[in-house]
């Protein structure tokens, strides 16, 4: 009788941190050296890397050429990308042995890329090509750690990261297979793995969508029940407003999971919105840190929030508002269901909802099926559409017993026409729908009233 299925891990992952570095943090040889300095402190950790900045976009361009059977265009792009990597390697490695090993590794990988120019090109090939960015960055970086004499190992994400038939992560599979990979590689200090890439239910190479490396880090943190998940970028945490439109924004030191989720979804580009849920479900704190200023506090996202404090403002562009007004809604039941079903049938998610006794307004950010939706809605009443709108989302600890917060927020917007207002879906957010042209004014008015 066999007693053990696979060797249980002796690594205590509960004391481990998962650190994710984005594309710009590993965007050059110099930046990779900085990351190595940051992580080589003797503590055992898992490090998730994105592709070097620009690489995923280049791989998409290469795929576009190959889709269109423009082989010479595709090959030209592949060669240009390879040259970039040759330069990175020449700058990164010092010893001839490591240099030549690195050159050999990337040569193999680029040969593989070139082989796609000879095959039929489908979504399947495209996804395999997109995966090469993270495979490149992690291979090079781990070899560099070898050169530094650091005890490290590569954990192949394609062996443990998996999505199910609904493209949702298969968390049991991930936990089991990641544990297996870790146990096979015991005795190392730093475990490097690829963000973004995974396999799907058919075992094919797939990915967690653009920007998905944050999600990888969070899923990995959840799978190993890590002590903390750190997302390293090049700004000092989530800011209390959008620095592109408002001067003097400040990083927010502490955010509740719910606050961070709203901010990430409604506009803060620093963190992918999907990243919050796995961490929240497993109560693992997420820290946003800055590679350019590693000792800065950044933002700590956890179950803690600052009681009664309004923390931040974010904006989401490209919103369409749809109002359905009907005398028949009065005292009727089932009206909202019928309205929502129409959006569902066109696979169009709704962001905001506001109701009155005679009508309902909803907002959507995907207006691909707008015409069909509006046509179907017309059978319930008069339909009005407002395009080029923006959701302004105010985030903070705002339970309803806490009087006055809404008055403060609303009065900050006293000069701005507001199309919809929504509060009560959570204690952590109030949202406003306004015209795009008023966005900058609204963001500045809110910062002035709430944070100065
Ligand atoms: N490299 C992927 C992208 O550019 C994933 C990521 O960076 O998070 O979207
Ligand atoms: Mg990112």
């Amino acid at each position: 009788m066999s007693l053990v299925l696979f060797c249980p891990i002796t690594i205590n992952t509960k004391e481990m941190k998962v650190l994710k570095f984005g594309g710009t943090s590993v965007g050059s040889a110099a930046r990779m050296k900085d990351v190595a300095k940051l992580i080589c402190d003797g503590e055992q950790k898992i490090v998730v890397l994105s592709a070097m900045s620009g690489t995923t976009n280049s791989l998409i361009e290469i795929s576009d050429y190959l889709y269109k059977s423009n082989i010479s265009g595709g090959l030209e792009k592949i060669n240009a990308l390879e040259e970039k990597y040759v330069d990175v390697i020449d700058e990164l490695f010092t010893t001839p042995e490591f240099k030549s090993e690195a050159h050999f590794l990337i040569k193999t990988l680029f040969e593989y890329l070139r082989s796609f120019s000879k095959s039929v090109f489908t979504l399947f090939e495209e996804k395999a090509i997109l995966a090469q960015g993270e495979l490149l960055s992690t291979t090079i970086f781990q070899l560099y750690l070898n050169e530094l004499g650091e005890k490290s190992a590569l954990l192949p994400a394609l062996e443990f990261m998996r999505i199910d038939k609904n493209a949702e992560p298969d968390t049991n599979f991930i936990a089991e297979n990641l544990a297996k990979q870790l146990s096979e590689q015991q005795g190392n200090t730093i475990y490097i793995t690829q963000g973004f890439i995974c396999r799907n239910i058919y075992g094919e190479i797939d990915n967690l969508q653009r920007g998905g490396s944050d999600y990888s880090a969070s899923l990995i943190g959840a799978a190993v029940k890590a002590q903390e998940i750190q997302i390293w970028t090049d700004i000092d945490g989530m800011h209390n407003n959008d620095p592109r439109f408002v001067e003097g924004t400040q990083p927010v030191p502490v955010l509740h999971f719910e606050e961070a989720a709203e901010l990430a979804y409604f506009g803060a580009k620093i963190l992918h919105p999907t990243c919050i849920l796995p961490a929240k479900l497993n109560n693992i704190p997420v820290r946003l840190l800055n590679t350019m200023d590693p000792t800065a506090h950044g933002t700590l996202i956890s179950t803690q929030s600052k009681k009664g404090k309004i923390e931040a403002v974010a904006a989401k562009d490209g919103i369409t508002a749809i109002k359905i007004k009907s005398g028949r809604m009065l005292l009727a039941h089932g009206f909202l269901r019928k309205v929502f079903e129409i959006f569902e049938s066109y696979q169009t998610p709704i962001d905001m909802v506001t109701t009155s006794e005679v009508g309902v307004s909803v907002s959507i950010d995907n207006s691909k099926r707008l015409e069909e939706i509006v046509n179907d809605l017309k059978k319930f009443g008069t339909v009005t559409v407002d395009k080029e709108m923006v959701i302004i989302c105010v985030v903070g600890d705002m339970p309803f017993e806490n009087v006055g917060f809404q008055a403060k927020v609303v009065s900050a917007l006293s000069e701005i026409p507001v199309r919809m207002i929504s509060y009560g879906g959570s204690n952590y957010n109030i949202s406003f729908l306004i015209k795009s042209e008023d966005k900058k004014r609204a963001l500045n008015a809110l910062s002035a009233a709430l944070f100065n």
Side-chain angles (χ1 to χ4, degrees):
M1 195 173 86
S2 114
L3 287 173
V4 265
L5 288 176
F6 64 84
C7 188
I9 13 170
T10 54
I11 302 170
N12 185 1
T13 54
K14 285 196 179 67
E15 282 172 13
M16 254 170 143
K17 289 177 184 161
V18 175
L19 286 72
K20 179 257 169 177
F21 293 89
T24 39
S25 301
V26 292
S28 66
R31 301 300 302 272
M32 283 197 189
K33 289 182 185 179
D34 290 342
V35 172
K37 274 191 209 127
L38 240 163
I39 62 171
C40 296
D41 57 3
E43 275 181 32
Q44 213 170 35
K45 54 176 72 72
I46 299 178
V47 174
V48 180
L49 299 183
S50 292
M52 294 180 77
S53 53
T55 297
T56 308
N57 287 342
S58 298
L59 294 169
I60 287 176
E61 283 176 38
I62 291 166
S63 303
D64 285 344
Y65 278 113
L66 298 181
Y67 259 124
K68 292 177 189 134
S69 301
N70 183 343
I71 305 299
S72 62
L75 286 174
E76 209 174 290
K77 282 265 158 210
I78 295 175
N79 295 342
L81 189 63
E82 184 174 14
E83 271 172 40
K84 259 172 67 177
Y85 278 86
V86 166
D87 292 345
V88 168
I89 284 170
D90 284 336
E91 197 186 327
L92 185 64
F93 293 91
T94 19
T95 57
E97 307 84 75
F98 277 97
K99 229 174 235 192
S100 76
E101 187 175 349
H103 280 301
F104 174 75
L105 283 172
I106 66 151
K107 194 167 165 235
T108 317
L109 202 143
F110 277 93
E111 282 310 323
Y112 175 65
L113 274 182
R114 275 187 275 272
S115 74
F116 286 99
S117 65
K118 296 181 194 84
S119 62
V120 274
F121 205 79
T122 66
L123 193 60
F124 173 76
E125 279 75 25
E126 172 169 10
K127 286 181 171 164
I129 286 190
L130 288 195
Q132 302 311 311
E134 274 68 14
L135 291 166
L136 271 164
S137 63
T138 49
T139 305
I140 294 171
F141 188 75
Q142 198 259 332
L143 191 64
Y144 177 59
L145 292 184
N146 280 350
E147 188 181 46
L148 294 179
E150 196 66 30
K151 277 193 155 177
S152 69
L154 267 183
L155 303 173
L158 296 179
E159 299 294 321
F160 64 83
M161 196 51 84
R162 192 165 85 166
I163 49 175
D164 64 16
K165 62 177 193 308
N166 302 314
E168 293 294 332
D170 183 342
T171 49
N172 291 331
F173 182 94
I174 297 168
E176 212 171 282
N177 288 279
L178 177 55
K180 201 165 140 190
Q181 289 294 325
L182 278 165
S183 80
E184 283 171 13
Q185 305 274 9
Q186 270 179 64
N188 286 289
T189 316
I190 299 176
Y191 295 90
I192 310 280
T193 190
Q194 300 85 21
F196 178 60
I197 66 176
C198 64
R199 286 190 191 273
N200 59 27
I201 185 105
Y202 310 107
E204 298 163 350
I205 297 177
D206 212 314
N207 60 62
L208 301 173
Q209 311 284 328
R210 292 306 304 273
S213 292
D214 293 351
Y215 199 19
S216 302
S218 178
L219 290 166
I220 289 169
V224 303
K225 305 271 182 282
Q227 182 200 336
E228 184 172 288
I229 298 160
Q230 299 183 345
I231 307 289
W232 288 83
T233 62
D234 50 7
I235 68 166
D236 47 0
M238 248 187 208
H239 275 226
N240 61 5
N241 208 327
D242 190 331
R244 291 168 302 179
F245 301 99
V246 179
E247 270 176 43
T249 61
Q250 294 292 325
V252 184
V254 170
L255 282 172
H256 190 276
F257 283 121
E258 309 254 350
E259 295 172 324
E262 300 278 359
L263 284 176
Y265 180 72
F266 284 109
K269 292 279 173 296
I270 176 174
L271 185 67
H272 200 272
T274 52
C275 169
I276 300 293
L277 190 63
K280 182 180 142 190
L281 291 176
N282 293 277
N283 195 11
I284 299 169
V286 178
R287 212 182 273 276
L288 308 181
L289 294 161
N290 185 1
T291 41
M292 308 297 256
D293 185 6
T295 56
H297 177 280
T299 300
L300 177 63
I301 303 164
S302 67
T303 51
Q304 307 291 312
S305 60
K306 286 238 177 87
K307 288 285 158 262
K309 186 153 189 275
I310 295 178
E311 296 283 7
V313 177
K316 188 171 173 160
D317 299 315
I319 306 290
T320 302
I322 305 164
K323 178 155 69 189
I324 307 103
K325 239 175 113 179
S326 163
R328 274 179 291 159
M329 187 177 161
L330 194 68
L331 304 176
H333 56 82
F335 178 79
L336 285 178
R337 177 177 54 77
K338 288 178 205 149
V339 167
F340 290 159
E341 266 170 8
I342 290 174
F343 288 87
E344 195 185 332
S345 69
Y346 293 108
Q347 278 132 36
T348 301
I350 293 171
D351 279 330
M352 276 175 84
V353 185
T354 53
T355 64
S356 87
E357 203 40 57
V358 292
V360 53
S361 268
V362 302
S363 82
I364 57 173
D365 74 342
N366 175 351
S367 50
K368 253 192 235 152
R369 314 291 295 272
L370 183 63
E371 223 183 287
E372 293 140 293
I373 292 172
V374 169
N375 271 336
D376 282 14
L377 287 172
K378 277 183 181 157
K379 58 176 178 273
F380 299 121
T382 325
V383 181
T384 333
V385 175
D386 292 299
K387 292 184 186 169
E388 282 171 51
M389 308 295 283
V390 170
I391 295 177
I392 301 286
C393 164
V394 178
V395 160
D397 180 56
M398 300 179 280
F400 81 93
E401 299 87 349
N402 186 0
V403 292
F405 62 88
Q406 82 289 2
K408 247 163 104 180
V409 178
V410 170
S411 73
L413 296 176
S414 61
E415 304 289 308
I416 287 156
V418 172
R419 167 74 176 74
M420 289 166 72
I421 302 181
S422 170
Y423 167 77
S426 98
N427 283 347
Y428 296 97
N429 128 303
I430 312 181
S431 298
F432 297 86
L433 191 75
I434 62 169
K435 289 188 206 151
S436 294
E437 63 198 55
D438 295 326
K439 166 176 157 178
K440 188 170 176 190
R441 215 153 51 96
L443 291 178
N444 278 284
L446 286 164
S447 257
L450 303 173
F451 311 131
N452 288 343

